[in-house]
Amino acid sequence: MSQYLTKKQASDFLSNKMGLPTSDKTLSKLITCGGSPIYQKFGSRVVYKKEDLINWANSKLSKPRRNSSCEVCNEKQQ
């Protein structure tokens, strides 16, 4: 059974457990503007499942890199 997290708990999970700093205000903005992790409503509250937060965070990460200035170089080195 999944545990549901509030926006604040979700931002703490992303920031502290995954090491990907994310504020609850950023999550609110993404709900409005687009690009949010999958969420559900419980009454008027937004709630998230941990697996949806993990999937969302992983989808935002770039491929591993060895060089910050050359995309082609990074692709050749992988």
Side-chain angles (χ1 to χ4, degrees):
M1 174 178 266
S2 294
Q3 177 184 354
Y4 291 95
L5 305 176
T6 64
K7 263 188 260 183
K8 178 66 176 140
Q9 291 170 326
S11 70
D12 289 344
F13 175 77
L14 290 164
S15 299
N16 300 325
K17 300 289 186 196
M18 293 192 69
L20 301 168
T22 309
S23 74
D24 55 326
K25 291 182 182 187
T26 297
L27 293 174
S28 292
K29 181 178 178 181
L30 291 172
I31 287 170
T32 303
C33 299
S36 168
I38 293 172
Y39 66 93
Q40 292 177 274
K41 297 282 283 207
F42 182 71
S44 62
R45 303 186 93 183
V46 170
V47 292
Y48 301 90
K49 292 180 183 177
K50 284 183 182 180
E51 55 266 26
D52 291 332
L53 294 169
I54 293 167
N55 290 336
W56 175 78
N58 286 333
S59 76
K60 297 294 178 190
L61 289 170
S62 72
K63 293 182 182 178
R65 298 171 178 235
R66 295 178 191 265
N67 183 318
S68 65
S69 62
C70 180
E71 289 291 324
V72 175
C73 298
N74 287 320
E75 290 174 11
K76 287 181 181 177
Q77 291 176 352
Q78 292 180 5

